[in-house]
Amino acid sequence: MADGGRLSNPRTGPGGRRSKHLAALLLLALAAPALAQRPDALSPAYEAVVRRYLSGDRQGAVAEMSGWPEHRLRDEMTALRALSQGAFACPYRCSAADRWAMTPVRAALMLHSDCAQRARAHGQSARLHESVAVELAGFMKDDPGHRAFVRRWYEATSALAQGEARWGEALDWADRGLLVFPDSVDLLLVRGSIEEALAAQAAPRASEDALLDAGARESRSQLLHAQEVRGHLATARRALRSVVTADPSRAEAHLRLGRVAWRLGEAAEARSVLVDVLARKPDPATAFLAHLFLGRLDEDDGRLDDAARSYEAALALEPRTQSARLALSHVRLRKGDAAAARREVETAVASAGRRAEPDPFWLYPWGPSVGVQERLEALRREASS
Amino acid sequence: MSVAAIALAAASALQAPSPPTFAVGVEGVYVDVFVTDGNRPVVGLTASDFELRDDGTLQPVELVAVESLPMNTLLVLDTSGSVAGEKLVQLQAAARALLNGLRPDDEASLVTFDQEVRVRVPPTADRARLERGVNGILPGGATALLDALYAGTLLAWGPGPSLLVLFTDGEDNMSWLEAGDVRRVLLQSNVLVQAVGIVPAVEPTRYPNGAVRPPPEEPHARLLRQLAELTGGQYRPAAAPGQLAGAFLSILEAMKTRYVLRFDPGRSRREGLHEIEVKLVHRRGKVHCRKAYFAGPSR
């Protein structure tokens, strides 16, 4: 950390004239080194609160830091910027590089991240601590020792926003991260899955005809909404294709590509992609969703027996899921057997609340955000080690 | 209940728990009809005041006494996270008010949904049990509105006409089923859907030339309205939670003042979807009723 004396709390207390005189002297003594403080030195108070976070008292540190005014935080970032620039400017070892290496910037990054989360939890703006965190990440990204950490921090932060349905912010975080780490498949997956979710949200505002046929004779507003939906889907597809190009083993990206193709009305491509997902022997949840999505394609084609088989295959993997059970019920209804359709519904509702794990279809809109708290906690632990 | 298309000949068989498939050719079809003049129901009409066409063919109709028909009511309530707080308190009060307005012998059941559909109370005339179910609602989770409406329709679809009262405060964000899937089951069933939503009132746009443009309908409100009207029901938007009880009670009022028409399409009726149109003859009023019914295969 920075050189210089540590700031103590200059409480005067209820003492007499002598104690006030001593306090004034102490203040002057403390102020002198501060006035002479180097421009690339963090204040002792900032150092102390980061150390507090580092020592394990995260809640206390977050509560303390949350009370800091913006100008103080900006001063600290100015010092950190100068320190990092000095450290990266010297060709070999130098005091700036040593001091940068000693600075627990990972803990500082997680501290400001947690302050932002705390602000949101209290219904306050998280903007200040988020912007400070981004600034810090900017200083750290060129340090080979921190680069991977910063990457995972961007991935977790964007996923956290996605998991809290802050879709626009999640996109911003993903885009910010992609500027620094353009080949991050996790960030691309966040981007693709959010665009997919945004398309699903906008879809009710666009009629089905307008969605699949831009030339359909629909009202202007519906066409605009349809364009919005198609725009989201096209962006999702680009991001997801980048994922599978960079890492063909990402089953989730393949699955989403299939679903996006279906939403775009490209059934043949959707089917091909989803069949390929199943051929890769994915985890049960991904296989369940691939069967479910294939069933919908079969239904759309009027191949009701095939659809029923797809839904039954999904149910064989996840027997108590309502999504697949209702899907099967709907096929039964389309086949003219209302009694069987009702029996499937009765089975579906009988399973309510009796699953150990959520229906994978319920987790699908949240994409890579599933498990993000564990990833954030791992980052905190790593920052504290 | 919305229009009830019921196979009378199959009625005895329909006492079984499975829902009916409407057989062609041997039964009558029931149609619930709501007639209003402005916001007020038009009362005192007779069978001769109505003209009903089945696929364009004029059909003689008879009027069935509403009091003679049992009413099976299914409450399908959105209990997702957004319903917490004042909305939930008002929703519970509204549901209790509706249950208390039913006739003593009428059965009701309670289904709730977030991302999952749950049967809280199966069909019963036990009001205390139903109220306990309503009082025990805990909000949380996402909104699988279409899945719940689909499941509720199949559960309510029984030997007689059924009323499904649907409440939601927002957009669907978790259903597997699509709106078209739900339209299909609503058309085929004899379930009348009356929907209630919470949509904050938005002022119309007033132009300098005096023209007034009403605010556009929210997409989820439009969907609810379309689905309810498909069955002959209506969508009742409440501007605030405090208006929910009024909306729920207005459903009961409408059910009491509705007309139930019965017609017999005869043995020539074809299998499949039939368009129906009901008009008033020499009387003023706006008619709400199901626009179609589905005739199943002959048995």
Side-chain angles (χ1 to χ4, degrees):
Chain A
M1 269 288 200
D3 299 333
R6 291 172 187 277
L7 281 178
S8 57
N9 192 350
R11 279 178 291 184
T12 54
R17 181 178 294 175
R18 188 163 176 268
S19 65
K20 285 179 182 171
H21 180 68
L22 281 173
L25 282 174
L26 182 61
L27 271 175
L28 275 172
L30 287 170
L35 287 172
Q37 192 170 306
R38 302 162 58 123
D40 61 354
L42 292 169
S43 77
Y46 187 80
E47 176 189 347
V49 70
V50 174
R51 293 277 176 208
R52 186 177 179 184
Y53 186 88
L54 201 56
S55 72
D57 182 12
R58 292 185 200 152
Q59 278 193 329
V62 168
E64 185 183 342
M65 179 62 83
S66 295
W68 279 43
E70 181 168 357
H71 68 86
R72 282 185 73 186
L73 290 174
R74 296 288 172 214
D75 287 348
E76 304 299 340
M77 289 306 110
T78 302
L80 260 175
R81 182 184 297 112
L83 181 59
S84 67
Q85 285 171 347
F88 298 142
C90 62
Y92 304 106
R93 281 195 63 176
C94 61
S95 76
D98 288 345
R99 282 188 294 118
W100 170 257
M102 293 292 289
T103 305
V105 283
R106 292 183 182 190
L109 181 63
M110 296 313 296
L111 170 59
H112 289 295
S113 261
D114 288 354
C115 286
Q117 279 202 60
R118 181 185 191 267
R120 269 193 300 276
H122 286 74
Q124 298 160 353
S125 168
R127 187 190 54 79
L128 173 59
H129 285 283
E130 282 179 348
S131 67
V132 168
V134 168
E135 211 169 340
L136 246 173
F139 306 149
M140 297 163 67
K141 69 179 168 54
D142 296 324
D143 183 335
H146 294 313
R147 190 168 173 80
F149 186 89
V150 172
R151 178 188 184 122
R152 283 188 290 131
W153 176 76
Y154 268 118
E155 290 164 353
T157 306
S158 59
L160 176 70
Q162 182 181 23
E164 293 176 348
R166 294 181 282 116
W167 307 108
E169 289 177 41
L171 275 183
D172 288 344
W173 281 110
D175 286 344
R176 274 197 205 109
L178 283 167
L179 282 175
V180 186
F181 305 101
D183 59 343
S184 163
V185 288
D186 282 302
L187 289 171
L188 286 165
L189 196 53
V190 165
R191 208 181 196 309
S193 58
I194 290 176
E195 292 287 356
E196 192 187 348
L198 291 175
Q201 288 167 24
R205 298 196 292 275
S207 80
E208 218 162 282
D209 287 344
L211 192 61
L212 294 178
D213 177 10
R217 296 178 67 187
E218 296 290 338
S219 74
R220 181 170 166 73
S221 66
Q222 280 186 332
L223 282 175
L224 285 173
H225 288 311
Q227 284 171 5
E228 180 190 348
V229 174
R230 292 186 72 86
H232 285 306
L233 291 173
T235 310
R237 180 143 74 174
R238 276 196 300 277
L240 294 169
R241 279 179 172 162
S242 300
V243 174
V244 298
T245 302
D247 183 357
S249 70
R250 285 283 178 133
E252 182 182 346
H254 289 282
L255 179 77
R256 289 182 179 280
L257 268 177
R259 185 72 167 166
V260 166
W262 169 73
R263 285 198 182 281
L264 284 165
E266 294 165 12
E269 184 186 335
R271 180 178 300 280
S272 155
V273 171
L274 292 171
V275 167
D276 183 54
V277 167
L278 288 171
R280 291 165 182 269
K281 309 278 183 216
D283 62 275
T286 303
F288 168 86
L289 290 168
H291 283 301
L292 195 65
F293 297 165
L294 273 170
R296 173 56 82 176
L297 282 167
D298 292 330
E299 264 201 89
D300 287 354
D301 287 348
R303 299 206 308 255
L304 299 181
D305 290 333
D306 289 341
R309 273 192 288 276
S310 289
Y311 295 143
E312 283 163 350
L315 283 165
L317 292 167
E318 304 274 357
R320 288 181 170 170
T321 48
Q322 277 202 350
S323 55
R325 190 64 68 183
L326 292 178
L328 187 58
S329 165
H330 184 246
V331 170
R332 305 271 191 247
L333 184 76
R334 286 187 68 180
K335 285 178 70 68
D337 193 345
R342 174 165 163 161
R343 281 196 297 276
E344 299 295 355
V345 166
E346 287 170 342
T347 306
V349 295
S351 298
R354 294 175 59 196
R355 278 177 305 276
E357 299 292 330
D359 185 331
F361 183 67
W362 298 345
L363 300 179
Y364 182 76
W366 306 107
S369 70
V370 175
V372 69
Q373 291 297 350
E374 289 77 8
R375 284 151 62 193
L376 280 167
E377 188 54 32
L379 286 171
R380 288 186 194 103
R381 279 199 304 271
E382 197 175 324
S384 304
S385 63
Chain B
M1 333 13 349
S2 55
V3 174
I6 306 169
L8 285 187
S12 57
L14 296 177
Q15 302 305 318
S18 58
T21 304
F22 305 140
V24 173
V26 288
E27 65 294 300
V29 175
Y30 288 80
V31 181
D32 290 295
V33 180
F34 302 86
V35 186
T36 52
D37 186 5
N39 289 326
R40 301 173 61 182
V42 175
V43 295
L45 300 179
T46 64
S48 62
D49 292 321
F50 293 95
E51 188 179 279
L52 185 148
R53 290 177 191 278
D54 179 353
D55 276 344
T57 303
L58 190 64
Q59 298 283 353
V61 295
E62 60 182 271
L63 211 53
V64 180
V66 169
E67 312 80 53
S68 68
L69 291 170
M71 187 154 80
N72 302 308
T73 302
L74 177 68
L75 284 173
V76 179
L77 306 181
D78 179 349
T79 57
S80 60
S82 57
V83 178
E86 180 63 12
K87 273 186 204 169
L88 178 63
V89 173
Q90 297 294 342
L91 173 63
Q92 288 170 320
R96 286 192 297 266
L98 184 136
L99 292 170
N100 288 329
L102 297 176
R103 294 172 301 192
D105 293 339
D106 286 338
E107 289 201 337
S109 48
L110 174 64
V111 167
T112 62
F113 66 97
D114 38 47
Q115 65 269 19
E116 188 168 49
V117 187
R118 287 183 171 87
V119 176
R120 296 281 178 188
V121 184
T124 178
D126 183 345
R127 296 288 178 272
R129 188 178 174 196
L130 286 160
E131 286 205 13
R132 281 197 301 277
V134 168
N135 295 341
I137 290 173
L138 289 174
T143 307
L145 169 66
L146 292 173
D147 284 358
L149 183 52
Y150 174 87
T153 302
L154 275 166
L155 292 172
W157 188 354
S162 300
L163 167 66
L164 189 156
V165 178
L166 173 69
F167 164 78
T168 182
D169 73 330
E171 289 186 37
D172 193 314
N173 55 20
M174 199 48 82
S175 286
W176 164 256
L177 295 165
E178 308 271 317
D181 305 335
V182 178
R183 282 193 191 99
R184 182 174 287 114
V185 73
L186 291 176
L187 275 175
Q188 293 190 34
S189 76
N190 56 337
V191 175
L192 171 71
V193 175
Q194 299 282 16
V196 178
I198 293 184
V199 180
V202 179
E203 286 296 311
T205 307
R206 299 178 191 285
Y207 294 97
N209 65 355
V212 178
R213 185 181 173 193
E217 192 173 30
E218 288 288 321
H220 73 278
R222 185 172 67 233
L223 176 66
L224 278 178
R225 183 175 53 73
Q226 288 171 346
L227 293 175
E229 288 179 356
L230 202 63
T231 68
Q234 282 185 288
Y235 171 60
R236 294 167 165 79
Q243 295 179 8
L244 285 176
F248 274 51
L249 288 174
S250 75
I251 292 172
L252 276 185
E253 194 55 35
M255 296 307 291
K256 286 176 187 163
T257 56
R258 80 192 192 281
Y259 298 91
V260 179
L261 305 181
R262 178 190 175 280
F263 70 98
D264 186 353
R267 293 191 173 274
S268 61
R269 186 172 70 175
R270 65 171 175 79
E271 185 184 328
L273 197 66
H274 289 240
E275 287 189 7
I276 48 177
E277 184 185 18
V278 177
K279 283 181 179 173
L280 288 179
V281 184
H282 310 307
R283 298 294 295 258
R284 272 187 53 192
K286 187 173 180 184
V287 173
H288 300 274
C289 73
R290 180 180 284 263
K291 305 287 189 297
Y293 73 97
F294 190 87
S298 297
R299 290 191 290 198

